[in-house]
Structures are given as C-alpha cells and as structure tokens.
Amino acid sequence: MSLVREESEATNVIRLEDAIGIACAAELKKLLLQALESGKEVSVSLEGATDLDVTAVQLLWAAVRKKRKSGAGIVLVGAMPETLSTAFADAGFEKFLVSGN
Amino acid sequence: MNQVDRFKQSFREEAREILVELESALLELNGNPHDLELVGSVFRALHTLKGSGSMFGFDELAAFTHHLETAFDEVRNGRLQIDSELIDLALAARDQIKAMLEQDSALAGTDNSVCENILTKVRQITGRADSHKGVTEPKQAPPVEVNGIACDWRIRFAPGPELMLNGADPLLLLRELAQLGNLRVTASMAAVPPFCELEPERCYVSWEMVLTTAAGRDAIRDVFIFVEDLCELTIEPASSPAPSATSPTADATAMALAEHRALSGGRRTYDKADNTSSLRVPAEKLDQFVDLVGELVTVQARLSEIAARHDDPEITEVSEEIERLTSSLRENSMNIRMTPIRATFEKFRRLVHDLARDLNKDVELTIEGADTELDKTVIDRLSDPLMHLIRNSMDHGIEAADVRAAAGKRSTANIRLSARHAGASVLIAVSDDGGGIDAEAVRNRAIEKGLVSANEQLSEGEIYALLFEPGFSTAKQVTDISGRGVGMDVVRQSVESLRGTIDVASKHGQGTSVTLRLPLTLAIIDGLLVKIGDGNFVMPLASTLECIELTREDITKANGKHVAEVRGEILPYIRLREYFNIRSERPEIEQIMVVETEEGRYGFVVDEVLGDHQTVIKNLGRVYRHVQFVSGATILGNGTVALILDPQRLVQDALRAVTHGHPAAAASRYP
C-alpha cells in the first residue's frame, strides 16, 4: 500500500497505490484533510490501486461531500483499473466514485 | 500483541470451539447418516471456518476447508451419501484444519502431503457424486434449493461500526453472496458522518440487495454467520416476482428503502441482547484473579483475628463487613472457574470411534452427567487420565466380537462415561460391559513381580489397587493402545495430584467400573476449623452434617467402644487425637463432627469446634505427598498452619485397619 500527496500551486493530487485497507485509513484521512484544508483543487488517482476497502471508499465519499460544500468537487484522475471498477460495481459503489463526483 | 494478532488469536479461539462441535457432529452423523440437521451443522461449521479463516488471513486453511465444504454441500443436496469413509475422511480433514490453525501461531509447517492426500480423496468422493448423477455441477452451485425454483430475496446488511476492526471485510461477504445467484447491490452512504467526525477505521456503509437464487434463507444467512453478532441483517423474500437482472425496479426499491431509513434517522443497533451475556477471558487472568482472592481471604482472616483481640466495636464491625464481602467475592470467583465437563467428555467420542476402528470392535460411548461442573484446573488435568482409562477399557476390557457373541452379549459393546456430584467431590466413572478384571490373574502377576508375597491375604479392592502400581500390566501382548503398564500408574499419579482417589469395581464377565473421586475445587473451600490439643485442623464443610457433644458419660456408656448414640441411631466415630497420636489432656466435653462419606455417616472426635473458615488450599509439597489423610494446608489469621483433613480417606483407612484386625491403627498416622 502506498499513499502519496503531491501538491502543486493549484492542485493537490493524492495517489493511492496497491491495496488500500483499514491499516492505512487514518493516514488517508490525514492526507485528505491536508488537501481539503489547502483550499486548492483536489484530485485522487486510483491508477496504481489494486484494491480499496470500505474504509477508503467512505473516506473518499465524505471528502467529496465536504469539498462540494465549498462549491468544488474532487476529481478522479487517470484510468481506473478494471479490477477496481468491477469491484466497485459489485459493491454498489460505482455511483459514488465516478469522475467528477 | 498488535491488533491483527489479537484478531487472529480471537479467530483461533473461535475456530477451536467450532472444531470441537464439528467433531461431535461428524461422530453423531456416523450413527445417524440421514439426519439433515447434523449435515447442516457440519456444513455451517465448515462454512464458518472457511469464511472467517479467509477474513483473518488463514488462506491455506480456508482453501483446504472449501473442498470439504463442497463435499458436504453435495450431501445437503442429496447428491452424496454419508458413509464411514466420508466420516473418517472428514475427521482426518478436521485434524488437518486444526494443525493448520495452530501452525500459524507456532510458525511450524504443516505436512502438505497430508493435505494433498486428503484433498485427493475428497475430490474422488465428490467426483463420484457427479458421475453418479451423470452431470457436471456448476462451479458454484446454490447450496439449497427451494422447490428447485429461483426466487428473490431482499437482504439488508448494515455492518456495525466495529465490524472491520474485528477483521471482517463486508466486500468479501458481498462477493460470497454473489456466488449464490444473481445479486443486485445498492450501497448507502447515508450514515457516513461529516468528514471531520468520521472515524476512519469504523464502518458506516450499509447495503440493500436483491438476490435471485434457488438457495434458501439458511444458505444466505450462512454467508453472514461469522459477523451476525456485529451487524444488522434482514433476509426477506421479495413479494414481487423476480425482476430481470437489469431491471431498474429492484434497485429503485432498494434505494427507496435506503432513503427512507436515512430520512427516518434511525441509526441501527448493533449488539444483540445475548451478545453481552458472556465474555471471553484468558484463563491466566482468571487464575491470577483467584490467586488474589486467595490472598485477600488470608489477610481477611488476619484482620478478623486482630479484631477479636482488640474488642473494639468499630473494628469488629468493619472486620465483619469485610469478611462478608470477601466471602461473597470468594464464592463468585469460584463459580467463575466452574465449567461443565461436557467438552472434555465429548472429545472422547472421537477416541472411541478411532480405537473401535483400529481394534475392529463395535463400541458405543454413552455420556451421562456432562453438565456436572468442576473447577477449570481439575478439568484441564483430567483429560489424560480419562484417556488412559478409556484406552485400557477398549483394549483389554471390551472383548472381541466372537467372544461377546459366545457369552451371549450384545455385539455392540458399551463404554459409559459419567459424572455426578457427591458432597464436596465429583465422581467420574469410566464403566464398560466387557469381560471384567480377572482378580486371580492380577494377584498372580503381582506375586510374580514381587509386589505382594504369595501368602498375603488381599481383598478384591486391594488386588485391583495393584493395577495402579508402576509398571504393572497383565496384558499378554503389548499393543499400540495399551499394555505397557505405564498408563494406569500415570492415571493414579494424575488423580492423586488433584487430591483425588481411584476406586475399581469389577465383575468377571460383566464389566469394570473405574471411579475417580475428585475435589470440586483446588483453590478455596468452606471449612470448619477445629482444635485438637495445640493443633488446628480444617474439615471440609460440604461433607459435615452437624456437631454434637461427647461427654465422659457417653464414653462410659459405650463401654469404651468408638460409637455414640445420635437420635436413636448408632454412629461410629474416629478419635482424631488417638489417630494422629496427639499427646495432650482430653477436655471434659469433646465434640463429634458428623460427616457424610461414601461409606456412610461417621463421626470425628475433636476437642473444640472453632467455627467456619474460608480455607485457601495450599499444597503440602513433594515431601508430604504420600500423607494420605490430609488434602492440603491453610494459613490461619494468626499465621499458623492448619491441615485440611480428608474425611473419606480417614474413614477408608480406619475400615481397612479394622478389616485387617488392627483396630488401634491410630498410632503414628501423623508424622
């Protein structure tokens, strides 16, 4: 598992790689909070992720809701691995995590 | 231990219990191969082991169990018949699962060839089921069909916040559910709190699902079997006909339900009422707790002693209050340690099953009094002696089929394992309807080995006691099962280390019964503190019926015989002063403690009864382990030591002395 936040002048990109599970839930929340508090655009890349568990999905959803309140959104960037999109569909998550949400 | 290790440990403990249940169900199934409820129990046990094993990272265990689960799935569906081959294979697989379970903790490898061997046989059996039907089953066949027609089930699964912290993964459950049929899933984020309030490791998502399957409610519930206590789960048949896989109707319904729940604001409840009714506590914590209570009881006795000396009403009041509380605490802590002997008894079903197969004997095991409770420590140390006794019974006691037939006995032999309370003791008996013990052969063997002289007169009981001498065996052949004369000696040592006794009764041609008499507890007992000369002794209260006075006049009336008349009945008594050779002046009025023993009511004469006493039992140590009539010692409030008497043994010894013509066996009983 790997969580990286890349901050540039206008954006924050959080890259989730490998399997993201409960063990790194606290770290993911910390990075998302830093990104949200920066006031910049927030993007999430799942390109390198192989699996996301419920804790990660609900954190991303809560972050999306928070960002929406400020009139912006969180953008999913990069291609989503097929295994992940299948897993999201199987778990009924697909409508929560589509690009632009 | 980190959290993951704790989850794994928790799984191991759960899995060990499931394996015990699995073994029992398999053995019962052997005798009732058409009992579908038992088949269901076996399947559910395997299913739980597989599912939870997978969740907790026991992947090999889960994969291995899956194959066996498949076999019992075939049984559930009527495609495979239960026979002894399948039962033996399942039992071997159960042993392998246990080995795999422990392997992870011990970091030792399991034997892959054993796994492979078992799996090959399982595949052969399940393959046989397929070929029998002449069809190839789909990889993921629905476990149970309801009239063979697929129908819709509406499932609501709301994990409790702690579910993931307990190592479970809801997404794995959804995947498993999808294997039962066509699953349409709608997740609800309605309960996810605002970002800042969200606790990242808790689960807030819930799901509404519609499953189209031929499987029944039980099969669906089985998927959630391991997390049932950690979630809210409803499974209802959908009233409308099954929509097609792509129909928006079901999704809309589920969404509407989710919306309604979110709007009504009713946050789910997670814990079932019975979830809080029991708590798993490590045994060593319990032992520490009881040790501390023991120390408290000793200190409280000191306080009572000091209060009595000072004669201060305030101190006395506090002391009495503490005594009352300590007594309640002691009773509670002892009760916590009391466990039914059922689990220990049940595991012998497997032993009898395996030995019967190996010895080619038809033997059934009858269990009685499995709910009898005993101190956990006693139960833990009882397993080995009972195993030796059962092995011995199976090997030497139960005759071969032709011998039984010739004797006109039922072809199926019986071994009875029973437990019952008797005062402060528990009697555990292993009885068989075999050939009985040949007392003459035992006697001759003992003479051969130089254990007794040829002209020594021995009662039947004394002859049977020789069986427990080190190295004694009358077996003509040493077998893998028994016959080396090691087991029975070990049995005696183990039972004596528990402050218990062994009694053997046998009738030639009819069977043998070995009874172990064990104390209820090894920690703290209620006792009566008595005084003889300068010495203090404790008599267990549970076996004491009453105390009566013994005057000089009473003694004269009995013409020097050791009997007293109690409400018209004659009571034989033992003078402990003489018995223990205590040289001090006898008081004018003595006390007889009337005690119930297995030999009947007996009296024990002491100088004075000081009162009841919470007795923390201390071992006498190795030097005094052969002292027969004392079951331990206790420390009194003033720091002196009192010996705890064993009335049963005292009576037995006195009777033995009378039988052998030594009524004055009193002298030098006490070193």
Side-chain angles (χ1 to χ4, degrees):
Chain A
M1 64 178 186
S2 159
L3 298 170
V4 182
R5 183 168 73 95
E6 293 165 357
E7 189 170 1
S8 65
E9 261 187 42
T11 61
N12 270 286
V13 180
I14 296 174
R15 296 191 189 281
L16 279 60
E17 289 175 354
D18 305 325
I20 307 296
I22 191 168
C24 55
E27 176 67 11
L28 178 59
K29 183 178 180 186
K30 196 176 101 182
L31 292 186
L32 283 168
L33 187 63
Q34 286 169 354
L36 291 168
E37 285 177 345
S38 70
K40 299 172 188 172
E41 188 181 296
V42 180
S43 304
V44 173
S45 167
L46 299 177
E47 215 166 3
T50 54
D51 193 20
L52 251 68
D53 79 348
V54 174
T55 60
V57 173
Q58 64 191 17
L59 267 170
L60 290 173
W61 169 242
V64 166
R65 279 196 317 202
K66 184 174 168 66
K67 191 71 180 165
R68 268 187 194 158
K69 282 186 183 166
S70 62
I74 293 180
V75 183
L76 283 183
V77 292
M80 183 170 325
E82 201 182 327
T83 50
L84 217 53
S85 50
T86 309
F88 282 176
D90 291 345
F93 287 147
E94 74 275 38
K95 64 180 172 292
F96 298 111
L97 293 172
V98 291
S99 53
N101 237 340
Chain B
M1 194 186 279
N2 64 33
Q3 202 164 43
V4 174
D5 288 340
R6 274 203 296 277
F7 293 149
K8 284 193 164 190
Q9 186 56 30
S10 167
F11 167 68
R12 267 191 208 99
E13 283 168 15
E14 294 265 357
R16 283 183 198 121
E17 285 173 18
I18 293 169
L19 286 170
V20 171
E21 286 164 18
L22 174 64
E23 191 177 69
S24 285
L26 285 169
L27 291 168
E28 223 173 307
L29 200 54
N30 198 30
N32 307 289
H34 303 295
D35 189 330
L36 289 176
E37 211 167 295
L38 285 172
V39 173
S41 301
V42 171
F43 179 81
R44 275 194 294 278
L46 292 167
H47 186 81
T48 307
L49 285 168
K50 182 190 83 171
S52 48
S54 167
M55 273 181 207
F56 291 107
F58 291 77
D59 295 336
E60 280 182 27
L61 182 151
F64 178 78
T65 310
H66 169 73
H67 293 279
L68 197 64
E69 184 198 8
T70 307
F72 277 88
D73 194 16
E74 299 285 354
V75 176
R76 292 203 324 171
N77 291 322
R79 285 190 282 268
L80 188 62
Q81 297 290 312
I82 292 282
D83 57 17
S84 59
E85 188 190 358
L86 180 60
I87 294 290
D88 285 342
L89 191 58
L91 286 169
R94 176 255 174 220
D95 293 346
Q96 188 59 20
I97 294 169
K98 188 159 195 307
M100 292 167 108
L101 185 73
E102 306 302 341
Q103 165 209 331
D104 195 67
S105 58
L107 295 174
T110 45
D111 190 347
N112 281 336
S113 65
V114 178
C115 280
E116 218 20 74
N117 196 14
I118 292 170
L119 290 183
T120 305
K121 287 179 183 165
V122 170
R123 282 188 211 105
Q124 280 168 359
I125 285 179
T126 48
R128 204 168 65 201
D130 287 348
S131 60
H132 178 69
K133 297 287 279 185
V135 290
T136 307
E137 292 300 320
K139 268 185 183 175
Q140 292 151 353
V144 175
E145 291 191 359
V146 183
N147 303 324
I149 303 164
C151 52
D152 282 358
W153 293 91
R154 186 163 291 132
I155 303 160
R156 180 170 168 261
F157 170 47
E162 306 292 334
L163 184 122
M164 296 194 68
L165 281 165
N166 276 288
D169 185 345
L171 301 186
L172 285 180
L173 297 173
L174 299 192
R175 268 173 225 162
E176 205 178 329
L177 196 60
Q179 291 179 10
L180 295 179
N182 181 21
L183 182 71
R184 280 140 289 152
V185 182
T186 307
S188 168
M189 296 284 186
V192 178
F195 186 83
C196 293
E197 292 167 27
L198 187 149
E199 291 184 47
E201 285 154 356
R202 293 184 165 238
C203 185
Y204 302 96
V205 183
S206 62
W207 286 268
E208 295 287 345
M209 294 166 277
V210 176
L211 175 67
T212 307
T213 178
R217 189 194 296 267
D218 283 349
I220 298 170
R221 188 170 290 280
D222 281 348
V223 172
F224 300 93
I225 199 163
F226 194 68
V227 297
E228 250 185 315
D229 289 341
L230 296 167
C231 72
E232 196 177 84
L233 178 71
T234 52
I235 304 165
E236 291 164 350
S239 50
S240 55
S244 67
T246 51
S247 164
T249 320
D251 287 350
T253 310
M255 280 297 285
L257 282 167
E259 288 286 332
H260 171 74
R261 202 177 55 254
L263 287 170
S264 63
R267 187 65 180 134
R268 54 197 183 244
T269 54
Y270 304 104
D271 295 327
K272 290 181 175 176
D274 61 356
N275 204 26
T276 53
S277 64
S278 65
L279 186 67
R280 191 185 291 272
V281 178
E284 66 265 28
K285 280 193 179 177
L286 207 57
D287 291 342
Q288 282 169 8
F289 174 58
V290 172
D291 284 348
L292 287 171
V293 171
E295 294 299 322
L296 183 66
V297 168
T298 308
V299 173
Q300 175 268 314
R302 271 184 65 197
L303 179 64
S304 298
E305 174 93 11
I306 292 165
R309 272 207 314 268
H310 282 71
D311 198 22
D312 179 329
E314 266 186 290
I315 295 178
T316 305
E317 194 188 330
V318 173
S319 165
E320 283 174 358
E321 184 67 8
I322 289 179
E323 187 175 344
R324 192 181 59 76
L325 290 171
T326 312
S327 177
S328 300
L329 184 62
R330 177 188 65 86
E331 205 166 301
N332 273 291
S333 63
M334 288 298 107
N335 279 340
I336 293 172
R337 288 172 65 93
M338 300 303 270
T339 316
I341 201 165
R342 179 175 297 281
T344 304
F345 274 10
E346 286 293 338
K347 74 178 179 189
F348 291 118
R349 285 195 191 279
R350 174 71 182 279
L351 180 74
V352 170
H353 171 268
D354 289 357
L355 285 181
R357 186 193 52 207
D358 296 348
L359 293 165
N360 198 24
K361 292 178 178 176
D362 188 6
V363 187
E364 65 182 11
L365 177 71
T366 312
I367 290 175
E368 287 172 13
D371 291 325
T372 306
E373 290 191 331
L374 258 163
D375 188 290
K376 193 191 151 300
T377 315
V378 180
I379 286 184
D380 287 350
R381 286 157 62 183
L382 202 55
S383 207
D384 283 351
L386 286 178
M387 187 183 69
H388 280 300
L389 290 174
I390 290 173
R391 290 171 83 97
N392 219 55
S393 206
M394 295 280 294
D395 200 14
H396 305 308
I398 304 292
E399 316 92 324
D402 54 337
V403 179
R404 287 184 71 85
K409 287 184 173 180
R410 207 161 65 99
S411 62
T412 304
N414 182 269
I415 290 187
R416 193 164 57 90
L417 200 50
S418 67
R420 68 181 174 89
H421 283 135
S425 304
V426 170
L427 302 180
I428 292 170
V430 179
S431 315
D432 66 56
D433 63 352
I437 301 171
D438 185 346
E440 198 49 35
V442 174
R443 190 173 180 280
N444 291 339
R445 185 84 175 129
I447 293 168
E448 260 175 53
K449 288 184 86 76
L451 293 169
V452 290
S453 61
N455 55 1
E456 201 166 335
Q457 292 299 309
L458 297 172
S459 69
E460 212 165 56
E462 285 167 329
I463 292 174
Y464 295 150
L466 293 168
L467 294 168
F468 298 94
E469 289 297 318
F472 189 93
S473 175
T474 56
K476 293 175 185 70
Q477 237 181 325
V478 171
T479 68
D480 286 344
I481 316 297
S482 57
R484 292 181 196 279
V486 176
M488 296 303 259
D489 177 32
V490 172
V491 169
R492 191 189 66 176
Q493 282 176 16
S494 305
V495 172
E496 285 180 354
S497 76
L498 290 166
R499 301 200 332 270
T501 57
I502 305 176
D503 182 48
V504 181
S506 182
K507 277 196 177 168
H508 196 57
Q510 291 182 31
T512 303
S513 181
V514 181
T515 305
L516 313 184
R517 179 176 154 270
L518 297 157
L520 269 177
T521 177
L522 296 176
I524 309 175
I525 57 165
D526 272 320
L528 264 184
L529 188 62
V530 300
K531 202 171 174 68
I532 309 164
D534 294 330
N536 292 309
F537 297 85
V538 172
M539 186 67 85
L541 194 61
S543 48
T544 309
L545 300 173
E546 61 179 323
C547 297
I548 52 175
E549 287 186 349
L550 179 71
T551 62
R552 294 273 164 109
E553 198 187 334
D554 296 331
I555 297 168
T556 314
K557 264 200 243 172
N559 292 325
K561 292 195 185 327
H562 287 190
V563 291
E565 194 186 318
V566 181
R567 291 185 287 276
E569 284 188 23
I570 298 296
L571 177 79
Y573 62 71
I574 297 166
R575 289 190 151 278
L576 292 178
R577 169 189 299 281
E578 290 170 17
Y579 205 84
F580 292 145
N581 206 16
I582 297 171
R583 298 177 200 283
S584 65
E585 200 174 325
R586 202 168 71 186
E588 276 299 310
I589 300 173
E590 294 169 283
Q591 301 287 326
I592 304 177
M593 285 187 297
V594 184
V595 173
E596 186 76 62
T597 72
E598 283 165 40
E599 324 300 332
R601 284 185 184 187
Y602 281 83
F604 292 89
V605 179
V606 300
D607 290 0
E608 197 182 347
V609 177
L610 299 174
D612 62 335
H613 184 262
Q614 294 180 58
T615 309
V616 181
I617 303 170
K618 305 277 184 193
N619 278 329
L620 284 175
R622 292 175 63 84
V623 177
Y624 297 102
R625 71 177 184 275
H626 295 304
V627 179
Q628 292 287 306
F629 330 107
V630 173
S631 52
T634 189
I635 300 165
L636 302 179
N638 60 8
T640 58
V641 171
L643 295 173
I644 303 164
L645 300 176
D646 185 337
Q648 178 68 33
R649 287 197 181 188
L650 281 166
V651 168
Q652 280 175 345
D653 186 66
L655 289 174
R656 202 175 301 129
V658 170
T659 313
H660 285 266
H662 308 297
S668 303
R669 289 295 185 204
Y670 185 53

